[in-house]
Amino acid sequence: MTETPTFLEDPTDTRDTIMRATYLALCKHGYADLTIQRIADEFPKSKSLLYHHYDGKDDLLLDFLEFMLEHQRERIPAEPTSSADDHLNAIFDRVFRTPMTDDYRDFWRAMVELRAQAAHDEKYRDHFTRSDEFFRELFANVVRSGIDDGVFREVNPERTAAYLQTTITGVMTRRVTTNGDIIEDVREELDEYVRLRLLAGETGDSTER
Amino acid sequence: MTETPTFLEDPTDTRDTIMRATYLALCKHGYADLTIQRIADEFPKSKSLLYHHYDGKDDLLLDFLEFMLEHQRERIPAEPTSSADDHLNAIFDRVFRTPMTDDYRDFWRAMVELRAQAAHDEKYRDHFTRSDEFFRELFANVVRSGIDDGVFREVNPERTAAYLQTTITGVMTRRVTTNGDIIEDVREELDEYVRLRLLAGETGDSTER
């Protein structure tokens, strides 16, 4: 039985209840096999409500993606609350070290499938463009605050953020589309990038670490 | 009209002819809207031949992915033919600087969709695991040869390769699933990683580049 994230438990209004049902159905069936009926199966109210609010599966899923992004916007503080390098590490830990439980894997598999819809559907592409921009800005804010505090070098925050975010997109994509276990290797090299490129006072080191 | 890569022009045997038709249909329709009939529409021989050789669309597409990987294996020399840093740059140029023509975009969109199938289909996952392993080994060979020649530091070649390949997966994925233009930013930071982490004799530099 799929567990929902805390913010989806005990929904109080109709939209939240629909979002919870969508989350459960998406994790259970993935994108390709998802139907409005399968979302309705997770929905305690009348199926006709789904049709009343949405034009179809993709319309509902696009609203679901918005909902998840809104939740991220509310949850994540705009400015780092700890030192910039600790904050960056905490973000990396969430990406790399969150245990790959069945629920977490199901959710990320569905997200990779949803992103792939953006290849041929402009509405999905618009969403992932905005979503990527949001996460890029998050990274850029962390880098900026690190520069202000003298923890990071005077790098270009937007450029650094674009790079970090792209690497993380690669990690999430590969993690659910291959059986290979590359995650620790990638994390170590990402840490090296941060050390050599960002951390003030660090210099290159010709020995293997 | 979609142009096929040189190695798919003028196919001589049945499999190559099927592969060419699959390439054309996949670029034209993407994965979701692809049917055996649409592949048959690009196929100069009898449609029954497709059913004779393949159990269905996914069986055919998995063979197509193998075919493309075999082609890469034959085309790309196992050992670098130029200095390791030039070779790495040439690979990056191919990923980052190949102009995003309509044909190239269509092909990469289809590849991102095919990779997303790996989220729920073990056969696709097996393929992308092997495909990623192949490209990782390519990168590892380049890094190894750079270390042997004293061009690169004594890094861990497998780990470096896993990192480079993950970043490139992120680039290809984001490039066809968003409208944002992050490619030059990511390339510049990737070059910085190579400079600071790999190039022997380079040291950290606290000024913005």
Coordinates of all heavy atoms in Angstrom, one line a residue, chain A residues 30 109 113 115-116 118-120 125-126 128-129 132 136 153-154 156 159 162-163 165-167 169-171 173-174 176-179 182 185-186 188-190 192-193 197 205-206 208-209, chain B residues 30 109 113 115-116 118-120 125-126 129 132 136 153-154 156 159 162-163 165-167 169-171 173-174 176-179 182 185-186 188-190 192-193 197 205-206 208-209:
Chain A
G30 N 1.9 4.3 -12.9 CA 2.7 5.0 -13.8 C 1.9 5.8 -14.7 O 0.7 5.8 -14.7
R109 N 9.8 7.3 -10.7 CA 9.6 6.7 -12.0 C 8.5 7.5 -12.7 O 8.6 7.9 -13.9 CB 9.2 5.3 -11.8 CG 10.4 4.4 -11.5 CD 10.0 2.9 -11.4 NE 11.2 2.1 -11.2 CZ 11.2 0.9 -11.0 NH1 10.1 0.2 -10.7 NH2 12.4 0.2 -10.9
E113 N 8.6 9.7 -16.2 CA 7.6 9.6 -17.3 C 6.9 10.9 -17.6 O 6.7 11.2 -18.8 CB 6.6 8.5 -16.9 CG 7.1 7.1 -16.9 CD 6.0 6.1 -16.5 OE1 5.6 6.1 -15.4 OE2 5.6 5.4 -17.4
R115 N 8.0 13.9 -17.1 CA 8.9 14.8 -17.8 C 9.1 14.4 -19.3 O 9.2 15.3 -20.2 CB 10.3 14.8 -17.1 CG 11.3 15.8 -17.7 CD 12.6 15.8 -17.1 NE 12.8 16.6 -16.0 CZ 13.2 17.9 -16.0 NH1 13.4 18.5 -17.2 NH2 13.3 18.6 -14.9
A116 N 9.1 13.1 -19.5 CA 9.2 12.7 -20.9 C 8.1 13.1 -21.8 O 8.2 13.3 -23.0 CB 9.4 11.1 -21.0
A118 N 7.0 16.0 -21.8 CA 7.4 17.3 -22.3 C 8.1 17.3 -23.7 O 8.2 18.3 -24.3 CB 8.3 18.0 -21.3
A119 N 8.6 16.1 -24.0 CA 9.2 16.0 -25.3 C 8.3 16.3 -26.5 O 8.6 16.9 -27.5 CB 9.8 14.6 -25.5
H120 N 7.0 15.9 -26.3 CA 6.0 16.2 -27.4 C 4.8 17.0 -27.0 O 3.9 17.1 -27.8 CB 5.5 14.8 -27.9 CG 6.6 14.2 -28.8 ND1 7.5 13.3 -28.4 CD2 6.9 14.4 -30.1 CE1 8.3 12.9 -29.4 NE2 7.9 13.6 -30.4
R125 N 6.0 20.8 -21.3 CA 7.3 21.5 -21.4 C 7.2 22.8 -20.6 O 8.2 23.2 -20.0 CB 7.6 21.7 -22.9 CG 9.1 22.0 -23.1 CD 9.5 21.4 -24.5 NE 8.9 22.0 -25.6 CZ 8.1 21.3 -26.5 NH1 7.9 20.0 -26.4 NH2 7.6 21.9 -27.5
D126 N 6.1 23.5 -20.7 CA 6.0 24.8 -20.0 C 6.1 24.5 -18.5 O 6.8 25.2 -17.8 CB 4.6 25.4 -20.2 CG 4.6 26.1 -21.5 OD1 5.6 26.3 -22.2 OD2 3.4 26.5 -22.0
F128 N 7.7 22.0 -16.9 CA 9.1 21.6 -16.5 C 10.1 22.8 -16.7 O 11.0 22.9 -15.9 CB 9.5 20.3 -17.1 CG 8.9 19.1 -16.5 CD1 7.8 18.5 -17.1 CD2 9.4 18.6 -15.3 CE1 7.2 17.4 -16.5 CE2 8.8 17.6 -14.6 CZ 7.7 16.9 -15.2
T129 N 9.8 23.7 -17.6 CA 10.6 24.9 -17.7 C 10.5 25.7 -16.5 O 11.5 26.1 -15.9 CB 10.1 25.7 -19.0 OG1 10.3 24.9 -20.1 CG2 11.0 26.9 -19.1
D132 N 12.0 23.7 -13.4 CA 13.5 23.8 -13.5 C 14.0 25.2 -13.1 O 15.0 25.3 -12.4 CB 14.0 23.4 -14.8 CG 14.0 21.9 -15.1 OD1 13.5 21.2 -14.2 OD2 14.6 21.5 -16.1
R136 N 16.4 26.1 -10.1 CA 17.7 26.8 -10.4 C 17.8 28.0 -9.5 O 18.9 28.3 -9.0 CB 17.7 27.2 -11.9 CG 18.9 28.0 -12.3 CD 18.8 28.4 -13.8 NE 19.9 29.3 -14.1 CZ 20.3 29.5 -15.4 NH1 19.7 28.8 -16.3 NH2 21.3 30.3 -15.6
R153 N 33.5 31.2 -3.4 CA 34.2 32.1 -4.3 C 33.2 32.9 -5.1 O 32.1 32.6 -5.2 CB 35.1 31.3 -5.4 CG 36.2 30.5 -4.8 CD 36.7 29.6 -5.9 NE 37.3 28.4 -5.3 CZ 38.6 28.3 -5.2 NH1 39.4 29.2 -5.7 NH2 39.1 27.2 -4.6
E154 N 33.8 33.9 -5.8 CA 33.0 34.8 -6.6 C 32.6 34.2 -8.0 O 32.9 34.7 -9.0 CB 33.7 36.1 -6.9 CG 34.1 36.9 -5.7 CD 33.0 37.9 -5.3 OE1 32.2 38.3 -6.1 OE2 32.9 38.2 -4.1
N156 N 29.7 32.7 -10.9 CA 28.5 33.2 -11.4 C 27.3 32.3 -10.8 O 27.2 31.1 -11.2 CB 28.5 33.1 -12.9 CG 27.2 33.6 -13.6 OD1 26.1 33.3 -13.1 ND2 27.4 34.2 -14.8
R159 N 25.0 30.5 -13.3 CA 25.6 29.4 -14.1 C 25.9 28.2 -13.3 O 25.6 27.1 -13.7 CB 27.0 30.0 -14.7 CG 27.6 29.2 -15.7 CD 29.1 29.5 -15.9 NE 29.2 30.8 -16.5 CZ 30.3 31.5 -16.5 NH1 31.4 31.0 -15.9 NH2 30.4 32.7 -17.1
A162 N 22.6 26.4 -12.8 CA 22.2 25.6 -13.9 C 23.0 24.3 -14.0 O 22.4 23.2 -14.3 CB 22.5 26.4 -15.2
Y163 N 24.2 24.3 -13.7 CA 25.1 23.1 -13.7 C 24.6 22.1 -12.6 O 24.4 20.9 -12.9 CB 26.5 23.5 -13.5 CG 27.5 22.4 -13.5 CD1 27.8 21.7 -14.7 CD2 28.1 22.0 -12.3 CE1 28.7 20.7 -14.7 CE2 29.0 21.0 -12.3 CZ 29.3 20.3 -13.5 OH 30.2 19.3 -13.5
Q165 N 21.8 21.8 -11.1 CA 20.5 21.3 -11.4 C 20.5 20.3 -12.5 O 19.7 19.3 -12.4 CB 19.6 22.5 -11.7 CG 18.2 22.2 -11.2 CD 17.2 22.6 -12.2 OE1 17.3 23.6 -12.8 NE2 16.2 21.7 -12.4
T166 N 21.3 20.5 -13.5 CA 21.4 19.6 -14.6 C 21.9 18.2 -14.1 O 21.4 17.2 -14.5 CB 22.2 20.2 -15.7 OG1 21.6 21.4 -16.2 CG2 22.4 19.2 -16.9
T167 N 23.0 18.3 -13.3 CA 23.5 17.1 -12.8 C 22.5 16.3 -12.0 O 22.4 15.1 -12.1 CB 24.8 17.4 -11.9 OG1 25.7 18.1 -12.7 CG2 25.4 16.2 -11.3
T169 N 19.2 16.5 -12.3 CA 18.2 15.9 -13.2 C 18.8 14.6 -13.8 O 18.1 13.6 -13.9 CB 18.0 16.8 -14.4 OG1 17.5 18.1 -13.9 CG2 16.9 16.3 -15.4
G170 N 20.1 14.6 -14.1 CA 20.7 13.3 -14.6 C 20.7 12.2 -13.6 O 20.4 11.1 -13.9
V171 N 21.0 12.6 -12.3 CA 20.9 11.6 -11.2 C 19.6 11.0 -11.1 O 19.4 9.7 -11.1 CB 21.3 12.2 -9.9 CG1 21.1 11.3 -8.7 CG2 22.8 12.6 -9.9
T173 N 17.1 10.9 -13.2 CA 16.7 10.1 -14.4 C 17.4 8.8 -14.4 O 16.8 7.7 -14.6 CB 17.1 10.9 -15.6 OG1 16.5 12.2 -15.6 CG2 16.7 10.2 -16.9
R174 N 18.7 8.8 -14.2 CA 19.5 7.5 -14.3 C 19.1 6.6 -13.2 O 19.0 5.3 -13.3 CB 21.0 7.7 -14.3 CG 21.5 8.5 -15.5 CD 23.0 8.5 -15.6 NE 23.6 7.1 -15.8 CZ 24.8 6.8 -15.5 NH1 25.6 7.7 -15.0 NH2 25.2 5.6 -15.7
V176 N 16.3 5.9 -11.8 CA 15.1 5.1 -12.0 C 15.0 4.5 -13.4 O 14.0 3.7 -13.7 CB 13.8 5.9 -11.7 CG1 13.7 6.3 -10.3 CG2 13.6 7.0 -12.6
T177 N 16.0 4.7 -14.3 CA 15.9 4.1 -15.6 C 17.0 3.1 -15.9 O 17.1 2.6 -17.0 CB 15.9 5.2 -16.7 OG1 17.1 6.0 -16.6 CG2 14.7 6.1 -16.6
T178 N 17.9 2.9 -14.9 CA 18.9 1.9 -15.0 C 19.0 1.1 -13.7 O 18.5 1.5 -12.7 CB 20.3 2.5 -15.3 OG1 20.7 3.2 -14.2 CG2 20.3 3.4 -16.5
N179 N 19.7 -0.1 -13.8 CA 19.9 -0.9 -12.6 C 21.3 -0.6 -12.0 O 21.7 -1.1 -11.0 CB 19.9 -2.4 -13.0 CG 18.5 -2.7 -13.4 OD1 17.5 -2.3 -12.9 ND2 18.4 -3.5 -14.5
I182 N 25.3 4.2 -9.5 CA 26.3 5.2 -9.8 C 26.2 6.3 -8.8 O 27.0 7.2 -8.8 CB 26.1 5.8 -11.2 CG1 24.6 6.1 -11.5 CG2 26.6 4.9 -12.3 CD1 24.1 7.5 -11.2
D185 N 29.3 7.3 -6.5 CA 30.4 7.9 -7.4 C 30.1 9.3 -7.8 O 30.9 10.2 -7.7 CB 30.5 7.1 -8.7 CG 31.4 5.8 -8.4 OD1 31.8 5.6 -7.3 OD2 31.6 5.0 -9.4
V186 N 28.8 9.5 -8.2 CA 28.4 10.9 -8.7 C 28.5 11.9 -7.5 O 28.9 13.0 -7.7 CB 27.0 10.8 -9.3 CG1 26.6 12.2 -9.7 CG2 27.0 9.9 -10.6
E188 N 30.4 11.8 -4.9 CA 31.7 12.1 -4.5 C 32.3 13.2 -5.5 O 33.0 14.1 -5.1 CB 32.6 10.9 -4.5 CG 32.2 10.0 -3.3 CD 33.3 9.2 -2.8 OE1 34.4 9.7 -2.7 OE2 33.1 8.0 -2.4
E189 N 32.1 13.0 -6.8 CA 32.6 13.9 -7.7 C 31.9 15.3 -7.6 O 32.5 16.3 -7.8 CB 32.5 13.4 -9.2 CG 33.5 12.3 -9.5 CD 35.0 12.7 -9.2 OE1 35.4 13.8 -9.6 OE2 35.7 12.0 -8.4
L190 N 30.6 15.3 -7.3 CA 29.9 16.5 -7.1 C 30.5 17.3 -5.9 O 30.6 18.5 -6.0 CB 28.4 16.2 -6.9 CG 27.4 17.5 -6.9 CD1 27.5 18.3 -8.2 CD2 26.0 17.0 -6.7
E192 N 33.5 17.1 -5.0 CA 34.8 17.6 -5.4 C 34.6 18.9 -6.2 O 35.4 19.8 -6.1 CB 35.5 16.6 -6.3 CG 36.2 15.4 -5.5 CD 37.3 15.9 -4.6 OE1 38.0 16.9 -5.0 OE2 37.4 15.3 -3.5
Y193 N 33.6 18.9 -7.1 CA 33.3 20.1 -7.8 C 33.0 21.3 -6.9 O 33.6 22.4 -7.0 CB 32.1 19.9 -8.8 CG 31.5 21.2 -9.3 CD1 32.1 21.8 -10.4 CD2 30.4 21.8 -8.7 CE1 31.5 23.0 -10.9 CE2 29.8 22.9 -9.2 CZ 30.4 23.6 -10.3 OH 29.9 24.7 -10.8
R197 N 35.6 24.3 -6.9 CA 35.1 25.4 -7.7 C 34.4 26.4 -6.8 O 34.5 27.6 -7.1 CB 34.0 24.9 -8.7 CG 33.3 25.9 -9.5 CD 34.2 26.5 -10.5 NE 33.4 27.4 -11.4 CZ 33.9 28.5 -12.0 NH1 35.1 28.9 -11.7 NH2 33.1 29.2 -12.8
D205 N 44.2 19.8 -5.8 CA 44.9 18.8 -5.0 C 45.2 17.7 -6.0 O 44.3 17.1 -6.6 CB 44.0 18.3 -3.9 CG 44.6 17.2 -3.1 OD1 45.7 16.7 -3.4 OD2 44.0 16.7 -2.1
S206 N 46.4 17.4 -6.2 CA 46.8 16.4 -7.3 C 46.7 15.0 -6.9 O 46.9 14.1 -7.6 CB 48.1 16.8 -7.9 OG 49.1 16.5 -6.9
E208 N 44.8 11.6 -5.4 CA 43.4 11.1 -5.4 C 42.8 11.1 -4.1 O 43.4 10.9 -3.1 CB 43.5 9.6 -5.9 CG 42.1 9.0 -6.0 CD 42.1 7.7 -6.7 OE1 43.1 7.4 -7.3 OE2 41.0 7.0 -6.7
R209 N 41.5 11.5 -4.1 CA 40.8 11.5 -2.8 C 39.7 10.5 -2.8 O 39.1 10.2 -3.8 CB 40.1 12.9 -2.6 CG 41.1 14.0 -2.3 CD 40.4 15.3 -2.4 NE 39.2 15.3 -1.6 CZ 39.1 15.8 -0.3 NH1 40.1 16.3 0.2 NH2 38.0 15.7 0.3
Chain B
G30 N 7.1 10.2 -32.4 CA 7.4 10.0 -31.0 C 7.0 8.6 -30.5 O 6.4 7.8 -31.3
R109 N 14.1 13.8 -28.6 CA 12.9 13.7 -27.8 C 12.4 12.2 -27.7 O 12.0 11.7 -26.7 CB 11.8 14.5 -28.6 CG 12.0 16.0 -28.3 CD 10.9 16.8 -29.1 NE 11.0 18.2 -28.7 CZ 10.4 19.2 -29.2 NH1 9.5 19.0 -30.2 NH2 10.6 20.4 -28.8
E113 N 11.9 9.8 -24.4 CA 10.7 9.0 -24.2 C 11.0 7.5 -24.0 O 10.4 6.8 -23.2 CB 9.7 9.2 -25.4 CG 9.0 10.5 -25.4 CD 8.1 10.6 -26.6 OE1 8.6 10.6 -27.8 OE2 6.9 10.6 -26.4
R115 N 13.8 6.2 -23.0 CA 14.4 6.0 -21.6 C 13.3 6.0 -20.5 O 13.4 5.2 -19.6 CB 15.5 7.1 -21.4 CG 16.2 6.8 -20.1 CD 17.2 7.9 -19.7 NE 18.5 7.7 -20.3 CZ 19.5 7.1 -19.7 NH1 19.3 6.5 -18.5 NH2 20.7 6.9 -20.2
A116 N 12.3 6.8 -20.7 CA 11.3 6.9 -19.7 C 10.5 5.6 -19.6 O 10.0 5.2 -18.5 CB 10.3 8.0 -19.9
A118 N 11.9 2.8 -19.4 CA 12.7 2.0 -18.5 C 12.1 2.2 -17.0 O 12.4 1.3 -16.2 CB 14.1 2.4 -18.6
A119 N 11.4 3.2 -16.8 CA 10.8 3.4 -15.4 C 9.9 2.2 -15.1 O 9.9 1.8 -13.9 CB 10.1 4.7 -15.3
H120 N 9.2 1.7 -16.0 CA 8.3 0.6 -15.7 C 8.5 -0.7 -16.5 O 7.7 -1.6 -16.4 CB 6.8 1.1 -15.9 CG 6.4 2.0 -14.8 ND1 6.4 3.4 -14.9 CD2 5.9 1.7 -13.6 CE1 6.0 3.9 -13.8 NE2 5.7 2.9 -13.0
R125 N 14.9 -1.1 -19.2 CA 15.9 -0.8 -18.1 C 17.2 -1.5 -18.4 O 18.3 -1.0 -18.2 CB 15.3 -1.1 -16.7 CG 16.0 -0.4 -15.6 CD 15.0 0.0 -14.5 NE 14.5 -1.2 -13.8 CZ 13.1 -1.4 -13.8 NH1 12.3 -0.6 -14.3 NH2 12.7 -2.5 -13.2
D126 N 17.1 -2.8 -18.8 CA 18.3 -3.5 -19.1 C 19.0 -2.9 -20.2 O 20.3 -2.8 -20.2 CB 17.9 -5.0 -19.6 CG 17.6 -5.9 -18.4 OD1 17.8 -5.5 -17.2 OD2 17.0 -7.0 -18.6
T129 N 20.7 0.3 -19.0 CA 21.8 0.0 -18.1 C 23.1 -0.3 -18.9 O 24.2 0.2 -18.6 CB 21.4 -1.2 -17.2 OG1 20.3 -0.9 -16.4 CG2 22.6 -1.6 -16.2
D132 N 24.3 2.8 -20.8 CA 25.0 3.8 -19.9 C 26.4 3.2 -19.5 O 27.3 3.9 -19.4 CB 24.2 4.0 -18.6 CG 23.1 5.1 -18.8 OD1 22.9 5.4 -20.0 OD2 22.5 5.5 -17.8
R136 N 29.9 5.0 -20.1 CA 30.7 5.2 -18.9 C 32.1 4.7 -19.2 O 33.1 5.3 -18.9 CB 30.1 4.5 -17.7 CG 31.0 4.6 -16.5 CD 30.3 4.0 -15.3 NE 31.2 3.9 -14.1 CZ 30.8 3.7 -12.9 NH1 29.5 3.5 -12.6 NH2 31.7 3.6 -11.9
R153 N 45.2 14.4 -13.7 CA 45.6 13.9 -12.4 C 45.2 12.5 -12.1 O 44.4 11.9 -12.8 CB 44.9 14.8 -11.3 CG 45.2 16.2 -11.3 CD 44.2 16.9 -10.4 NE 44.1 18.3 -10.8 CZ 44.7 19.3 -10.1 NH1 45.3 19.1 -9.0 NH2 44.6 20.5 -10.6
E154 N 45.7 11.9 -11.0 CA 45.4 10.5 -10.6 C 44.0 10.4 -10.0 O 43.9 10.0 -8.9 CB 46.5 10.0 -9.7 CG 47.9 10.1 -10.2 CD 48.3 8.8 -10.9 OE1 47.6 7.7 -10.6 OE2 49.2 8.8 -11.7
N156 N 40.0 8.8 -9.9 CA 39.4 7.5 -10.1 C 38.6 7.5 -11.4 O 37.6 8.2 -11.5 CB 38.5 7.2 -8.9 CG 37.8 5.9 -9.0 OD1 37.4 5.4 -10.1 ND2 37.5 5.2 -7.9
R159 N 34.8 6.6 -11.4 CA 34.0 7.6 -10.7 C 33.8 8.9 -11.5 O 32.7 9.4 -11.6 CB 34.7 7.9 -9.4 CG 33.8 8.6 -8.4 CD 34.6 9.3 -7.3 NE 35.2 8.3 -6.4 CZ 36.2 8.6 -5.6 NH1 36.7 9.8 -5.5 NH2 36.6 7.6 -4.7
A162 N 31.4 8.1 -14.3 CA 30.0 8.1 -13.9 C 29.4 9.5 -13.7 O 28.3 9.8 -14.1 CB 29.9 7.4 -12.5
Y163 N 30.3 10.4 -13.2 CA 29.8 11.8 -13.0 C 29.6 12.5 -14.4 O 28.6 13.1 -14.6 CB 30.9 12.5 -12.2 CG 30.6 13.9 -11.9 CD1 29.6 14.3 -11.0 CD2 31.4 14.9 -12.6 CE1 29.4 15.6 -10.7 CE2 31.1 16.3 -12.3 CZ 30.1 16.6 -11.4 OH 29.9 17.9 -11.1
Q165 N 29.0 11.2 -17.3 CA 27.9 10.6 -18.0 C 26.6 11.1 -17.4 O 25.6 11.3 -18.2 CB 28.0 9.1 -18.0 CG 27.5 8.6 -19.3 CD 26.7 7.4 -19.0 OE1 27.1 6.6 -18.2 NE2 25.5 7.3 -19.6
T166 N 26.5 11.2 -16.1 CA 25.3 11.6 -15.5 C 24.9 13.1 -15.8 O 23.8 13.4 -16.1 CB 25.4 11.5 -13.9 OG1 25.6 10.1 -13.6 CG2 24.1 11.9 -13.2
T167 N 26.0 13.9 -15.8 CA 25.7 15.3 -16.2 C 25.2 15.4 -17.7 O 24.3 16.1 -18.0 CB 27.0 16.1 -16.1 OG1 27.5 16.0 -14.8 CG2 26.8 17.5 -16.4
T169 N 23.6 13.0 -19.3 CA 22.2 12.6 -19.3 C 21.2 13.7 -18.9 O 20.2 13.9 -19.5 CB 22.0 11.4 -18.3 OG1 22.9 10.3 -18.7 CG2 20.5 10.8 -18.4
G170 N 21.6 14.5 -17.9 CA 20.9 15.6 -17.5 C 20.7 16.7 -18.6 O 19.7 17.2 -18.8
V171 N 21.8 16.9 -19.3 CA 21.8 17.9 -20.4 C 20.8 17.5 -21.5 O 20.0 18.3 -21.9 CB 23.2 18.1 -21.0 CG1 23.2 18.9 -22.3 CG2 24.2 18.7 -20.0
T173 N 18.4 15.4 -21.4 CA 17.0 15.3 -20.9 C 16.4 16.7 -20.8 O 15.3 17.0 -21.3 CB 17.0 14.7 -19.5 OG1 17.5 13.4 -19.6 CG2 15.5 14.6 -19.0
R174 N 17.2 17.7 -20.2 CA 16.6 19.0 -20.0 C 16.5 19.7 -21.3 O 15.6 20.5 -21.6 CB 17.5 19.8 -19.1 CG 17.5 19.3 -17.6 CD 18.2 20.3 -16.7 NE 17.4 21.6 -16.6 CZ 18.0 22.7 -16.1 NH1 19.3 22.7 -15.8 NH2 17.3 23.8 -16.0
V176 N 15.5 18.7 -24.2 CA 14.3 18.4 -25.0 C 13.0 18.5 -24.1 O 12.0 18.2 -24.7 CB 14.4 17.1 -25.8 CG1 15.5 17.2 -26.8 CG2 14.6 15.9 -24.9
T177 N 13.2 18.7 -22.8 CA 12.0 18.7 -22.0 C 11.7 20.1 -21.4 O 10.7 20.3 -20.6 CB 12.0 17.7 -20.9 OG1 13.2 18.0 -20.0 CG2 12.1 16.3 -21.4
T178 N 12.5 21.1 -21.7 CA 12.3 22.5 -21.2 C 12.6 23.4 -22.4 O 13.2 23.1 -23.4 CB 13.2 22.9 -20.0 OG1 14.5 22.9 -20.5 CG2 13.0 21.9 -18.9
N179 N 12.1 24.7 -22.2 CA 12.4 25.7 -23.2 C 13.6 26.5 -22.8 O 14.0 27.4 -23.5 CB 11.2 26.6 -23.4 CG 10.0 25.8 -23.9 OD1 10.1 25.0 -24.8 ND2 8.8 26.1 -23.4
I182 N 20.0 26.4 -21.1 CA 21.0 26.3 -20.0 C 22.3 25.7 -20.5 O 23.3 25.6 -19.8 CB 20.5 25.3 -18.9 CG1 19.8 24.1 -19.5 CG2 19.5 26.0 -18.0 CD1 20.7 22.9 -19.6
D185 N 25.8 27.6 -20.1 CA 26.1 27.7 -18.7 C 26.7 26.4 -18.2 O 27.7 26.3 -17.5 CB 24.9 28.1 -17.9 CG 24.6 29.6 -17.9 OD1 25.4 30.3 -18.5 OD2 23.6 30.0 -17.3
V186 N 26.0 25.3 -18.6 CA 26.4 24.0 -18.1 C 27.7 23.6 -18.7 O 28.6 23.1 -18.0 CB 25.3 22.9 -18.4 CG1 25.8 21.5 -18.0 CG2 24.0 23.3 -17.7
E188 N 30.1 25.6 -19.6 CA 31.2 26.3 -19.0 C 31.6 25.8 -17.6 O 32.8 25.7 -17.3 CB 30.9 27.8 -18.8 CG 30.7 28.5 -20.2 CD 31.0 30.0 -20.2 OE1 32.0 30.3 -19.4 OE2 30.4 30.7 -20.9
E189 N 30.6 25.4 -16.9 CA 30.9 24.8 -15.5 C 31.5 23.4 -15.7 O 32.4 23.0 -14.9 CB 29.7 24.7 -14.7 CG 29.2 26.1 -14.1 CD 30.4 26.8 -13.4 OE1 31.0 26.2 -12.5 OE2 30.6 28.0 -13.7
L190 N 31.1 22.6 -16.7 CA 31.7 21.3 -16.9 C 33.2 21.5 -17.3 O 34.0 20.7 -16.8 CB 30.9 20.6 -18.0 CG 31.3 19.1 -18.3 CD1 31.2 18.3 -17.0 CD2 30.4 18.6 -19.4
E192 N 35.0 23.9 -16.3 CA 35.7 24.2 -15.0 C 36.0 23.0 -14.2 O 37.0 22.9 -13.6 CB 34.8 25.2 -14.2 CG 34.9 26.6 -14.7 CD 36.3 27.2 -14.6 OE1 37.0 26.9 -13.7 OE2 36.6 28.0 -15.5
Y193 N 35.0 22.1 -14.1 CA 35.2 20.8 -13.4 C 36.4 20.1 -14.0 O 37.3 19.6 -13.3 CB 34.0 19.9 -13.5 CG 34.2 18.5 -13.1 CD1 34.3 18.1 -11.7 CD2 34.4 17.5 -14.0 CE1 34.5 16.8 -11.4 CE2 34.6 16.2 -13.7 CZ 34.7 15.9 -12.3 OH 34.9 14.6 -12.0
R197 N 39.6 19.7 -11.7 CA 39.6 18.3 -11.1 C 40.5 17.4 -11.9 O 41.2 16.5 -11.3 CB 38.2 17.7 -11.1 CG 38.1 16.3 -10.7 CD 38.2 16.2 -9.2 NE 37.9 14.8 -8.7 CZ 38.5 14.2 -7.8 NH1 39.5 14.8 -7.1 NH2 38.2 13.0 -7.4
D205 N 41.3 28.8 -8.7 CA 41.5 30.1 -9.1 C 40.3 30.9 -8.5 O 39.1 30.5 -8.7 CB 41.4 30.2 -10.6 CG 41.4 31.6 -11.2 OD1 41.4 32.6 -10.3 OD2 41.5 31.7 -12.4
S206 N 40.5 31.8 -7.6 CA 39.4 32.4 -6.9 C 38.7 33.5 -7.7 O 37.7 34.1 -7.2 CB 39.9 33.0 -5.5 OG 40.8 34.1 -5.8
E208 N 36.5 35.0 -10.8 CA 35.4 34.5 -11.7 C 35.9 34.3 -13.1 O 36.7 35.2 -13.6 CB 34.2 35.4 -11.7 CG 33.1 34.9 -12.6 CD 31.8 35.7 -12.4 OE1 31.7 36.5 -11.5 OE2 30.9 35.5 -13.3
R209 N 35.6 33.3 -13.7 CA 36.0 33.1 -15.1 C 34.8 33.1 -16.0 O 33.8 32.6 -15.7 CB 36.7 31.7 -15.3 CG 38.1 31.7 -14.7 CD 38.6 30.3 -14.7 NE 38.5 29.7 -16.0 CZ 39.5 29.6 -16.9 NH1 40.7 30.0 -16.5 NH2 39.4 29.1 -18.1

